């Protein structure tokens, strides 16, 4: 039922741009540095439409930086990004972002519903206020992540997992084609992890593209079908079943990765 | 009102830095024009306040210095420079120079009608901008990166907020003065935050607190001789903060403590009751009397809690023998089930 609904939503989306092939996100020669040292070096990346992709790599490998550069939050030194063949600025409406939970102050005086409503601000544009339609969308998104009973809860009174689901709902409201998520599984309990992964799978069924910064290597083969190994440079990218092996893990993490995780 | 945003941005000290940074602007404006027209002086304050603010921003983003270091640096640098200019002005043979130091501690009594009009107009503009860009301000304060991905020009919103904070500070200088201005900006906001979890209500409350401190402070200082208005206003605002910290229902210290004690008592009662329940369960008749000594094995047991249970009609006490009542047994078994559910 829910799936059907997502499919119909997808049809609406078809009016938007002519998809150049089936490459959802294309990154060319992307190089980013904070001070002198490059954090990302010469990244080329093509992410096909409809994949559920994990970005893995050690701490400081530039995983979050990659996402933030694609989304224009950081300014790269060189390189370009295109979304379905056009610049990100033109395709903004197709992209939704779930930041790291720790990046905001959860003591901010607002409610869960209010945060989810923020997902509608982009389509509203300047000055215009959200109305009934936006509220309805936000409530639907809250229901999808199982947080409807908490809609009027002050956000500091939510557990870490619930806060993460609120962030996810805020992105769902945007009804985008491509979702970027920065460590959505960080510090969440098993219930939330399952809830999130179910939503990710639903998104994929609806032919959305989902890109996730991920830390838990054990769950990569189970949750994702596409993977990018990153450590300042791009080590490898492709289907999990082809490239998720000891060789690439060793190249990415430096140490001799002998634990065969795929078993 | 605007202080709410400074508090929520964790940039509370920025207000302090801006107000101090405004001082050299006042002095320079006086040196250039040689007149004491307050509009011109405030324009100077505005400009140097803005310069100070953007320098602070620059230092934070371009160097490895932490924001408190940058704030402290700019604050003392500008204030020192301002004081230097003030002493220089005082040495000058210009009859006009007297009274510039009122900007240090403020002097509401020197306000004239045109000053008040200026304040009213700027406040009105602030209000309109705030209402127009309410949504944008809110989302930027909560999650700046996300706001950027939605396509908003975050730099523009940021400059807008900062400019209005600087404006508000500069306008307050005449009343409260350089040294105390940041208290005027922050105290109402800090007090308001204690009472509500809603941004809109918080801003409204902050404005109300601010206005009340102004009115009360002025009234008190007018009723006594030799009480300067600025400090009295700040003290009244401080009292609002103190009251809010202690008595606000959710975040206040008093109610927090009361809730804490009450929760502990409730838990103690539950624990004692469930202990009794476990003993009583082993008997066919739940009201089977037990020696009170059995309870001594249980750590949380006190006479006080037992008496409270008697009062609640959960337990019958007969000499040194206790027995659970029907009601006590039911409550205890409910508690027990709830706990196992929560664990499961």
């Amino acid at each position: 039922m829910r799936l059907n609904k997502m499919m119909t939503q997808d049809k609406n989306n078809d009016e938007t741009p002519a998809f150049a092939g089936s490459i959802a996100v294309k990154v060319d020669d992307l190089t980013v540095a904070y001070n002198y040292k490059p954090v990302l070096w010469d990244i080329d990346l093509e992410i096909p439409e409809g994949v559920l992709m994990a970005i893995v790599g050690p701490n400081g490998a530039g995983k979050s930086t990659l996402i933030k550069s694609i989304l224009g939050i950081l300014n790269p030194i060189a390189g370009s990004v295109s979304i379905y063949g056009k610049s990100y600025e033109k395709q903004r409406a197709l992209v939704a972002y779930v930041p790291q939970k720790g990046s905001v102050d959860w003591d901010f005086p607002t409610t869960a519903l209010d945060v989810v409503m923020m997902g509608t601000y982009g389509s509203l544009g300047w000055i215009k206020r959200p109305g009934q339609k936006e509220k309805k969308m936000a409530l639907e998104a809250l229901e999808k992540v199982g947080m409807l009973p908490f809609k009027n809860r002050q956000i500091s009174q939510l557990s870490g997992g619930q806060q993460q689901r609120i962030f996810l709902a805020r992105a769902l409201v945007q009804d985008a084609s491509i979702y970027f998520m920065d460590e959505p599984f960080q510090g969440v309990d098993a219930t939330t992890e399952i809830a999130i992964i179910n939503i990710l799978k639903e998104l994929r069924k609806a032919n959305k593209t989902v890109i996730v910064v991920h830390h838990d290597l054990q769950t990569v083969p189970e949750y994702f079908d596409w993977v990018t190994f990153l450590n300042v440079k791009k080590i490898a990218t492709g289907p999990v079943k082809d490239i998720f092996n000891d060789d690439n893990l060793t190249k990415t993490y430096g140490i001799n990765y002998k634990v065969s995780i795929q078993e | 009102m605007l202080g709410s945003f400074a508090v929520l941005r964790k940039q509370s000290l920025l207000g302090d830095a801006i107000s101090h940074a405004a001082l050299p602007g006042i002095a320079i404006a006086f040196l250039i024009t040689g007149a004491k027209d307050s509009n011109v002086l405030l324009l100077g304050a505005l400009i140097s306040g803005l310069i100070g603010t953007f320098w602070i921003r620059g230092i934070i983003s371009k160097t490895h210095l932490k924001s408190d270091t940058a704030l402290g640096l700019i604050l003392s640098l500008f204030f020192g420079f301002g004081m230097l200019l003030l002493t220089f002005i005082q040495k000058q043979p210009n009859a006009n120079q007297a009274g510039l130091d009122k900007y240090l501690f403020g002097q509401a009594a020197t306000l004239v009608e045109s000053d008040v009009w200026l304040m009213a107009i700027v406040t009105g503009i602030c209000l309109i901008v705030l209402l127009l860009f309410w949504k944008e301000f809110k989302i930027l304060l909560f999650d700046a990166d996300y706001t950027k991905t939605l396509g908003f020009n975050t730099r523009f919103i940021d400059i807008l907020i900062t400019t209005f904070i600087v404006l508000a500070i500069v306008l307050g200088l005449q009343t409260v003065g350089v040294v105390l201005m940041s208290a005027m900006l922050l105290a109402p906001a800090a007090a308001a935050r204690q009472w509500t979890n809603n941004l809109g209500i918080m801003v409204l409350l902050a404005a109300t607190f601010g206005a009340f401190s102004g009115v009360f402070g002025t009234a008190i200082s007018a009723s006594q001789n030799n009480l300067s208005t600025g400090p009295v206003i700040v003290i009244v605002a401080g009292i609002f903060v103190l009251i809010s910290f202690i008595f606000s229902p959710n975040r206040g210290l008093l109610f927090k403590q009361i809730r804490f004690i009450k929760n502990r008592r409730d838990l103690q009662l539950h624990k004692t009751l469930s202990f009794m329940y476990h003993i009583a369960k082993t008997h066919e008749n739940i009201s089977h009397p037990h020696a009170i000594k059995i309870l001594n094995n249980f750590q949380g047991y006190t006479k006080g809690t037992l008496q409270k249970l008697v009062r609640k009609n959960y337990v019958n006490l007969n000499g040194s023998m206790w027995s659970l009542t029907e009601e006590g047994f039911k409550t205890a078994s409910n508690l027990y089930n709830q706990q196992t559910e929560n664990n499961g």
Side-chain angles (χ1 to χ4, degrees), chain A:
Chain A
M1 182 61 206
R2 194 178 284 175
L3 177 67
N4 279 338
K5 207 165 127 213
M6 288 200 131
M7 293 299 244
T8 48
Q9 277 172 358
D10 204 38
K11 262 178 209 149
N12 295 339
N13 264 359
D14 275 355
E15 298 157 12
T16 32
F19 296 154
S22 59
I23 300 298
V25 181
K26 192 164 184 291
V27 177
D28 282 311
D29 302 327
L30 189 77
T31 300
V32 181
Y34 283 129
N35 288 312
Y36 310 104
K37 224 174 130 203
V39 185
L40 288 175
W41 187 255
D42 211 8
I43 307 287
D44 291 307
L45 195 60
E46 284 186 352
I47 305 169
E49 183 180 33
V51 297
L52 200 49
M53 187 181 93
I55 302 176
V56 297
N59 290 332
K63 304 185 292 291
S64 299
T65 309
L66 177 61
I67 287 191
K68 285 183 180 171
S69 309
I70 294 175
L71 294 172
I73 297 168
L74 295 171
N75 290 327
I77 289 177
S80 65
V81 173
S82 66
I83 307 288
Y84 284 120
K86 289 186 195 159
S87 77
Y88 167 68
E89 280 72 24
K90 284 184 186 154
Q91 304 281 53
R92 221 185 269 278
L94 299 179
V95 179
Y97 173 48
V98 180
Q100 270 188 35
K101 185 160 58 69
S103 66
V104 303
D105 171 20
W106 287 94
D107 199 29
F108 194 80
T110 189
T111 61
L113 178 63
D114 231 20
V115 173
V116 177
M117 291 251 263
M118 287 178 185
T120 66
Y121 285 10
S123 57
L124 279 172
W126 288 91
I127 297 175
K128 226 171 128 197
R129 300 290 182 91
Q132 284 306 315
K133 183 180 142 229
E134 281 75 23
K135 190 171 174 189
K136 202 169 142 253
M137 285 160 68
L139 289 173
E140 279 170 14
L142 273 170
E143 185 164 24
K144 271 185 209 156
V145 299
M147 289 291 293
L148 201 54
F150 301 93
K151 64 177 176 172
N152 290 324
R153 196 67 85 78
Q154 150 71 17
I155 51 171
S156 64
Q157 280 154 14
L158 298 170
S159 75
Q162 291 171 332
Q163 290 172 345
Q164 189 65 60
R165 279 189 267 170
I166 291 296
F167 260 14
L168 194 60
R170 184 176 68 172
L172 290 177
V173 166
Q174 288 178 254
D175 194 22
S177 306
I178 305 169
Y179 290 82
F180 289 91
M181 305 186 183
D182 204 342
E183 302 208 24
F185 298 107
Q186 195 184 41
V188 303
D189 56 16
T191 328
T192 301
E193 182 151 343
I194 293 165
I196 295 176
I197 203 67
N198 283 336
I199 287 167
L200 295 192
K201 288 187 169 156
E202 264 175 39
L203 286 172
R204 183 177 49 187
K205 274 184 204 154
N207 206 29
K208 314 272 184 182
T209 310
V210 184
I211 295 130
V212 179
V213 170
H214 195 56
H215 249 303
D216 185 9
L217 292 173
Q218 316 282 343
T219 53
V220 169
E222 188 190 333
Y223 292 169
F224 299 95
D225 53 15
W226 210 264
V227 66
T228 292
F229 290 94
L230 189 74
N231 191 354
V232 183
K233 293 175 182 178
K234 184 191 77 184
I235 311 292
T237 183
V240 170
K241 60 179 191 323
D242 296 339
I243 66 158
F244 196 72
N245 52 37
D246 289 351
D247 187 33
N248 279 326
L249 284 166
T250 308
K251 274 187 206 157
T252 310
Y253 287 86
I255 48 168
N256 211 359
Y257 219 101
K258 277 294 169 214
V259 205
S260 200
I261 289 172
Q262 295 197 72
E263 282 180 336

Side-chain angles (χ1 to χ4, degrees), chain B residues 258-274 305 308-309 312 314 335 339:
Chain B
I258 291 174
R259 260 203 310 275
F260 177 73
I261 293 170
K262 190 175 171 297
N263 279 342
R264 283 194 71 119
R265 285 223 187 102
D266 283 355
L267 276 179
Q268 221 168 22
L269 281 186
H270 289 170
K271 201 70 203 167
T272 314
L273 196 62
S274 74
T305 49
K308 255 181 224 148
L309 288 172
K312 285 193 168 178
Y314 291 166
L335 277 176
Q339 258 156 25

Side-chain angles (χ1 to χ4, degrees), chain A residues 35 73 88 92 97 99 104-105 107 109-110 114 118-119 121 125-129 154-155 170 174, chain B residues 8 10 64 131 134-136 138-139 142-143 145-146 148-153 157 193 197 199 251:
Chain A
N35 288 312
I73 297 168
Y88 167 68
R92 221 185 269 278
Y97 173 48
V104 303
D105 171 20
D107 199 29
T110 189
D114 231 20
M118 287 178 185
Y121 285 10
W126 288 91
I127 297 175
K128 226 171 128 197
R129 300 290 182 91
Q154 150 71 17
I155 51 171
R170 184 176 68 172
Q174 288 178 254
Chain B
L8 289 174
K10 317 225 142 130
H64 286 289
L131 285 174
W134 178 254
K135 175 180 86 196
E136 285 78 12
K138 183 163 86 176
I139 191 172
F142 178 64
D143 194 344
D145 280 354
Y146 183 72
K148 210 168 177 183
T149 68
L150 289 183
F152 289 103
N153 186 341
I157 309 174
R193 179 70 187 93
N197 277 327
L199 183 63
R251 302 174 140 240

